[in-house]
Amino acid sequence: MPENASAYLAEGPRVGIRHFTYEDAAEFTARVRESKALHQPWLFPPASVDAYAAYAGRLIEDRTKAGFLVCERDSGAIAGFININNIVEGGFLCGALGYGAFAHATGRGLMAEGLGLVVRHAFGPMGLHRLEINVQPRNSASIALARRCGFRLEGFSPDFIYLDGAWRDHERWAITSEMLRSS
């Protein structure tokens, strides 16, 4: 890589975003284990190297998914992750976002900066038109992040996703490329 080239797909003042690699397994799974109390009952990212390999493999190899690590620019430490799942091309040009911060990075605005970078990357180089976030109504931190990044509440879906042994209600939040341009 040229000396002045960045390892990131996009950069902000404090974070950069990059794709998952298999080599991230040790750091990612250590951060997941440190953040278990923060994540559950909302999400269950892979906590073992084998589970990470399967998870990252889907994000790396499946064209209907794109995974991004949010990394602190000063240290390169992984602060969180943002995935675009269920990417549909053609007339839809949409994807469903999922995300999680790691405990050491919470409350510092790093995920808001990272989500802004992912949204701009999705609407720019990826060519998407719409991104959706589905959030459990009691997950106030995820709802605050969606709102802070310009997503609008579009509805409520009862029994939407099967998580932690039960069907869970979710709020539906979305942003379009037009909304981003007008903000």
Side-chain angles (χ1 to χ4, degrees), residues 57-81:
R58 290 188 298 272
L59 294 169
I60 293 167
E61 297 169 22
D62 186 340
R63 288 180 31 94
T64 67
K65 301 179 186 311
F68 302 92
L69 295 173
V70 177
C71 301
E72 297 181 59
R73 285 186 58 200
D74 60 350
S75 66
I78 301 171
F81 56 96

Side-chain angles (χ1 to χ4, degrees), residues 24-44:
D24 293 311
E27 181 183 0
F28 189 93
T29 57
R31 300 274 186 215
V32 166
R33 290 188 300 274
E34 294 166 0
S35 305
K36 184 176 180 178
L38 174 67
H39 292 156
Q40 293 178 3
W42 315 116
L43 72 150
F44 299 84

Side-chain angles (χ1 to χ4, degrees), residues 64 66 68 83-98 115 118-124 126-134 150-157 160 171-181:
T64 67
F68 302 92
N83 301 330
I84 306 176
N85 299 297
N86 306 324
I87 297 170
V88 179
E89 296 176 340
F92 203 43
L93 295 175
C94 183
L97 287 174
L115 183 54
V118 168
V119 168
R120 286 189 293 283
H121 184 77
F123 292 158
M126 291 180 69
L128 296 179
H129 170 260
R130 177 183 174 85
L131 293 170
E132 300 176 356
I133 299 171
N134 296 295
F151 286 73
R152 68 178 172 221
L153 178 62
E154 291 192 334
F156 179 80
S157 298
F160 187 63
E171 291 182 3
R172 295 186 324 275
W173 292 77
I175 191 169
T176 65
S177 56
E178 290 83 7
M179 290 168 61
L180 185 67
R181 283 194 298 265

